[in-house]
Amino acid sequence: MGQIASLFGIALKAIYGVIGNYGLSIIVFTIIVKMILMPLTVKQTKSTFAMSEINPKVKEIQAKYKNKPEKQNEEISKLYKESGINPLSGCLPILIQMPILMGLFYVFKDPVTHGVFASKAAMAAANGNFLWIKALSKPDYILAVFSGVSAYLMQKVMTPKDQIEGPMKMMSWLLAGMSLYWGFIFPAALTLYWGVSNIFSVFQYYLITRPLKSKLEQEKADKEAGKSSFKKK
């Protein structure tokens, strides 16, 4: 984790050297990270779409082997394999975010040690006066609320309509609550990263993910129309 934190520290130092504003540097860093992770987001979208395609078959298997859990798992795994789907691939972007958050936590906790600033005096000079935030090294309650709201919005926007109730609805509130809580105890710099990351994810969904999903749905419709036309002939 120390190496990851040092790498992030070097990146932030480079960005800060160009921009000259600590808060803006964090925002730019966040956008760069999200852009780097974008291919994984596209992969996640395709995986989610593929999962929804075979979901009726999964439900059939669950109903057929409801009293035989081992057989049920075996048949579902077989279906995933035949369809070329890895059910865990959709979780990859989220899993990758964890070490990023941990690394940034250490960076923002002690930016001097991790190379963002040359001295504590330089850090003190850059630490405050960003929007309403007095110190990016300390928790900010307004930013905490922003983090919680943005997390809920992101989860609500990105959750498929057929999954918006039940466990996924609870997950939305849980993520929002955790984000709010983190904002009250973690440095504002980390909360700023998380909040901006959430908002970027929402824009990314409307600009990239949703159009991609529509394209996949259209390709599916065209394929089915082609099959139907072939059968008629």
Side-chain angles (χ1 to χ4, degrees):
M1 192 58 66
Q3 291 180 340
I4 294 176
S6 297
L7 182 63
F8 289 161
I10 293 170
L12 273 168
K13 180 182 179 181
I15 296 170
Y16 179 73
V18 174
I19 296 176
N21 182 289
Y22 191 27
L24 283 177
S25 298
I26 294 169
I27 292 174
V28 171
F29 176 84
T30 306
I31 293 172
I32 291 173
V33 169
K34 294 296 290 184
M35 293 293 287
I36 292 172
L37 294 178
M38 194 170 290
L40 291 177
T41 303
V42 172
K43 186 176 181 180
Q44 180 189 27
T45 302
K46 292 181 178 179
S47 175
T48 302
F49 182 79
M51 289 283 288
S52 66
E53 287 293 286
I54 66 168
N55 195 45
K57 293 182 180 180
V58 171
K59 289 182 177 179
E60 287 178 9
I61 293 172
Q62 289 173 337
K64 185 176 181 180
Y65 299 106
K66 61 181 179 180
N67 296 323
K68 298 179 180 179
E70 291 184 4
K71 182 65 175 178
Q72 183 185 113
N73 291 334
E74 181 183 335
E75 290 297 318
I76 291 175
S77 297
K78 184 179 178 181
L79 176 62
Y80 285 151
K81 188 175 181 179
E82 290 174 351
S83 304
I85 295 173
N86 182 356
L88 297 178
S89 62
C91 302
L92 193 57
I94 298 173
L95 294 175
I96 288 179
Q97 280 279 19
M98 292 301 105
I100 292 175
L101 285 172
M102 288 296 295
L104 287 175
F105 170 76
Y106 288 109
V107 171
F108 295 140
K109 186 178 180 182
D110 192 354
V112 176
T113 299
H114 293 96
V116 181
F117 301 109
S119 65
K120 289 186 177 181
M123 173 189 158
N127 192 36
N129 299 321
F130 180 68
L131 300 177
W132 67 87
I133 304 169
K134 294 181 179 180
L136 286 162
S137 60
K138 297 179 180 179
D140 182 88
Y141 301 148
I142 297 176
L143 199 57
V145 174
F146 166 72
S147 176
V149 171
S150 66
Y152 177 79
L153 179 64
M154 177 193 69
Q155 194 72 10
K156 186 174 182 179
V157 166
M158 298 180 68
T159 302
K161 291 182 179 179
D162 59 344
Q163 299 177 21
I164 204 165
E165 296 297 330
M168 290 306 296
K169 186 175 182 179
M170 182 63 69
M171 182 64 71
S172 297
W173 285 108
L174 179 62
L175 181 61
M178 289 175 62
S179 299
L180 178 66
Y181 175 70
W182 289 340
F184 279 99
I185 63 173
F186 290 157
L190 185 63
T191 309
L192 178 63
Y193 166 84
W194 184 243
V196 172
S197 178
N198 293 336
I199 295 300
F200 187 91
S201 294
V202 172
F203 281 104
Q204 184 175 262
Y205 173 81
Y206 284 110
L207 294 174
I208 298 174
T209 307
R210 193 166 71 168
L212 175 60
K213 188 176 179 181
S214 298
K215 180 182 177 183
L216 293 172
E217 289 173 347
Q218 185 61 49
E219 288 177 353
K220 178 196 171 187
D222 292 343
K223 189 176 180 180
E224 289 178 349
K227 287 182 179 179
S228 177
S229 176
F230 179 77
K231 286 180 180 179
K232 288 180 180 180
K233 291 180 180 180

